[in-house]
Amino acid sequence: MEWAESISKAIEYIENNITEKITVEDISKHVNISPFYFQKGFSLLCGYTVTEYMRNRRLALAAGELATSDTKVIDIAMKYGYDSPDSFTKAFSRFHGVTPSMVQKNHSILIKSFAPLKIKLSLEGGFVMDYRLTKKDSFTVMGAIKKFSYDGAKAVIPEFWKEHYEKGNGKYVCGMFGVNIDESMGNSEFAYMIADIYNPVMDVPEGFVTKTIPAFTWAVFPCKGSMPDSMQDVNTKIFSEWLPALKEYEFAAGYCIEMYDDPSKYPKGTSDENYYSEIWIPVKKK
């Protein structure tokens, strides 16, 4: 239950400091989890990124104040972390569908609520989740790399893959791996690499890079089924089922690797019900 309890503790910390200028790094430090894995786990368990959650909570609370008081819009904007009335109005309007001034002038106008998340800890039937621990020497990959913000990465990384193939870069790098890299295990951005095993006798094409993945013990999780559902399902189970039950190991570094089998081996490619992929997470003994 340790992981879910940490997320619950993080939510409590956010709520207690909702009007303060807290960062993802502040929150992850409070629960003693690296920002790299905290953000990933929070998003998978809660359905929102950390910044999305804080933004939605602040906008909901701001609307409540506007609807029940005569406090100036600029004062509420500043209270909930906005530097100007314009930026506050834009964010408020996107979330509520009305402007702050409209809510202030008409206290009966409809606004949206966004309640604090509550993580329920419950004992359920035992689960079976296949994985193996594999020691692997360092290896080098070659591919296309791009930096992404944690906020919204889930939506834009598929566009990176699409762009890779539309440019014809699949003839250089087929895409055996999707490599998440955040060596500092920080709180703002990470690198994502579409990669294959590097062949040192071949030249590195323009626009591509090589990256050596350090030696680790990897927890390897098989995924079987149509993409992306099969991998997303396993990814969620890693954080909601496997990690809370993990007692001997912990995350070792800011890497996470997706391994994709050759789609041509399957009648329906990556949409085939038997398509195979894997998720690799580096671990070490506690």
Side-chain angles (χ1 to χ4, degrees):
M1 296 288 185
E2 291 180 6
W3 178 259
E5 288 172 347
S6 294
I7 296 296
S8 183
K9 186 179 178 182
I11 293 170
E12 181 181 8
Y13 179 79
I14 292 169
E15 291 301 316
N16 290 338
N17 296 275
I18 196 66
T19 59
E20 304 298 324
K21 291 185 177 181
I22 55 174
T23 65
V24 172
E25 189 172 18
D26 293 331
I27 303 165
S28 60
K29 184 177 181 180
H30 180 73
V31 297
N32 198 31
I33 299 174
S34 75
F36 178 79
Y37 285 109
F38 171 70
Q39 293 188 101
K40 190 176 182 68
F42 188 98
S43 178
L44 286 167
L45 286 177
C46 302
Y48 301 93
T49 66
V50 183
T51 52
E52 285 173 340
Y53 176 77
M54 290 194 293
R55 181 173 60 246
N56 290 351
R57 283 292 295 140
R58 286 167 173 163
L59 290 171
L61 290 169
E65 288 195 33
L66 285 168
T68 57
S69 73
D70 295 323
T71 307
K72 294 180 180 179
V73 171
I74 188 172
D75 291 334
I76 291 179
M78 296 294 288
K79 178 179 179 179
Y80 288 101
Y82 290 87
D83 295 330
S84 70
D86 286 345
S87 61
F88 175 64
T89 297
K90 288 178 182 178
F92 190 97
S93 299
R94 282 195 300 268
F95 185 76
H96 290 285
V98 293
T99 65
S101 59
M102 291 170 66
V103 175
Q104 193 172 54
K105 291 175 181 177
N106 182 0
H107 288 182
S108 64
I109 200 168
L110 291 177
I111 54 177
K112 293 180 180 178
S113 64
F114 189 83
L117 288 168
K118 295 184 182 297
I119 304 296
K120 293 183 178 180
L121 304 179
S122 61
L123 293 175
E124 300 178 351
F127 67 90
V128 176
M129 187 170 189
D130 294 331
Y131 76 98
R132 67 182 186 274
L133 293 176
T134 302
K135 288 186 178 180
K136 192 173 181 63
D137 293 335
S138 63
F139 63 100
T140 302
V141 295
M142 182 191 81
I145 193 167
K146 189 173 183 179
K147 287 190 175 182
F148 294 93
S149 167
Y150 279 106
D151 195 17
K154 185 177 180 180
V156 293
I157 285 179
E159 291 299 315
F160 182 41
W161 280 89
K162 181 180 178 182
E163 178 185 286
H164 175 78
Y165 292 118
E166 286 181 345
K167 288 183 176 179
N169 288 334
K171 64 184 177 181
Y172 303 115
V173 173
C174 296
M176 179 181 181
F177 299 111
V179 186
N180 297 261
I181 307 167
D182 185 356
E183 293 174 332
S184 68
M185 298 178 80
N187 68 339
S188 57
E189 62 180 15
F190 66 100
Y192 185 89
M193 190 173 183
I194 300 172
D196 289 340
I197 294 293
Y198 171 57
N199 184 347
V201 302
M202 297 182 66
D203 293 332
V204 178
E206 185 178 354
F208 290 81
V209 299
T210 61
K211 174 68 180 177
T212 298
I213 309 298
F216 288 118
T217 294
W218 298 87
V220 178
F221 301 85
C223 312
K224 185 178 180 181
S226 175
M227 293 292 293
D229 293 346
S230 60
M231 183 170 283
Q232 290 176 352
D233 181 56
V234 171
N235 214 359
T236 299
K237 287 181 179 179
I238 289 172
F239 284 88
S240 63
E241 297 178 359
W242 179 77
L243 189 57
L246 196 63
K247 300 301 180 184
E248 296 183 8
Y249 289 88
E250 62 184 355
F251 294 123
Y255 288 87
C256 181
I257 296 180
E258 305 149 8
M259 191 285 295
Y260 300 98
D261 200 5
D262 182 358
S264 67
K265 292 164 55 177
Y266 303 87
K268 297 180 182 177
T270 58
S271 298
D272 197 273
E273 61 183 7
N274 293 311
Y275 182 72
Y276 184 79
S277 58
E278 293 176 344
I279 297 172
W280 301 2
I281 294 177
V283 295
K284 63 182 179 181
K285 285 200 171 184
K286 291 183 177 179

